[in-house]
Amino acid sequence: ARVSQLISYLTKIANTRKALGGRIRVAPEGVNATVSAVDTDGKSAIELLDHFTRDLKNFDAVFEETDFKFITDLQPDRHFKDIKILPVKELVFYGISEKEAPLGKGGEHLDAKDFHNMLSQDKDSTVVIDVRNHYEAAIGRFDGQEHSSAKGSDSKGAEYIDPMMRKSTDFPAWLAEPATKEKLKDKKVLMYCTGGVRCERASAYLNQKLGSEVKGIYQLQGGIERYLKQYPDGGYW
């Protein structure tokens, strides 16, 4: 019922705030949205977006904990022309039930600085899993630490792992492979994705399946976007 109420609430906003545009995915587990705005005679784009976030917080206090990201230098031609609200069963389709991977039992969230420090730990104790699809990993990835000496060691930083996924539903099969289990055994496991959403279910699933066999599961809060904002020079990217 709460999902239906939120969809109705967002639809009302979409119908009355013509300066807003975007794509909003709504699922029982949460919301994933990209929303843009243009200046009007009365308000700037950033004021309109700030108003939108306050509307969400007024709808439900859970949005007080939401990781809102604001980009202020987007070109006007990148603005969405309208808002589309998309009801979905899962924000990212893994084909995994909530029982198999409860979101409340995912990895520990690390901010960009703490994640950066963990990447610098030696490859014998730490691995970092790219939860994105392989074509995304081929464009850019966290492997810079593999070419730098780990803190207090002659060894290189965390070992980068690409599960070579074509789609998110490949993740459970990859995790079930004996070679994967051996590679992760007794390691600190870092995980990351573009904005942090894909890691939520993936880290919960990993914790359920291999939590007792690894030495901690950690995920990058806000994803690559947050990291590159903290490290404009790229850091280990």
Side-chain angles (χ1 to χ4, degrees), residues 165-176:
M165 296 185 290
R166 291 191 306 109
K167 53 190 184 302
S168 294
T169 49
D170 293 339
F171 185 75
W174 173 78
L175 196 62

Side-chain angles (χ1 to χ4, degrees), residues 2-59:
R2 198 58 173 159
V3 171
S4 298
Q5 291 172 356
L6 177 57
I7 290 172
S8 297
Y9 186 73
L10 291 170
T11 300
K12 182 177 179 180
I13 291 174
N15 291 336
T16 56
R17 310 258 184 88
K18 298 302 181 182
L20 292 176
R23 301 293 179 265
I24 305 175
R25 294 165 62 83
V26 183
E29 63 190 350
V31 177
N32 186 21
T34 301
V35 179
S36 62
V38 292
D39 295 340
T40 65
D41 292 337
K43 288 187 176 181
S44 67
I46 191 65
E47 287 175 320
L48 289 166
L49 291 172
D50 183 60
H51 192 177
F52 176 72
T53 63
R54 282 188 278 115
D55 284 336
L56 290 175
K57 293 173 183 178
N58 288 335
F59 174 79

Side-chain angles (χ1 to χ4, degrees), residues 17 35 41 52 55-56 60 62 68 79 97 125 131 148 151 167 204 209 215-216 237:
R17 310 258 184 88
V35 179
D41 292 337
F52 176 72
D55 284 336
L56 290 175
D60 195 304
V62 71
F68 292 107
H79 168 64
S97 69
S125 68
V131 188
S148 303
K151 287 185 177 179
K167 53 190 184 302
K209 295 296 182 181
K215 293 188 175 179
W237 183 253

Side-chain angles (χ1 to χ4, degrees), residues 105-141:
K105 296 185 178 180
E108 179 181 341
H109 292 76
L110 300 178
D111 63 23
K113 286 185 176 180
D114 288 340
F115 192 83
H116 182 84
N117 289 334
M118 288 283 283
L119 283 173
S120 70
Q121 297 192 13
D122 73 89
K123 64 183 179 63
D124 295 326
S125 68
T126 310
V127 298
V128 55
I129 301 173
D130 195 328
V131 188
R132 302 171 301 157
N133 294 332
H134 175 63
Y135 77 87
E136 297 171 280
I139 297 171
R141 66 202 71 82

Side-chain angles (χ1 to χ4, degrees), residues 184-199:
L184 303 186
K185 187 175 177 60
D186 295 326
K187 301 286 181 65
K188 296 173 187 173
V189 180
L190 306 179
M191 307 177 78
Y192 74 91
C193 56
T194 305
V197 176
R198 279 179 272 192
C199 284

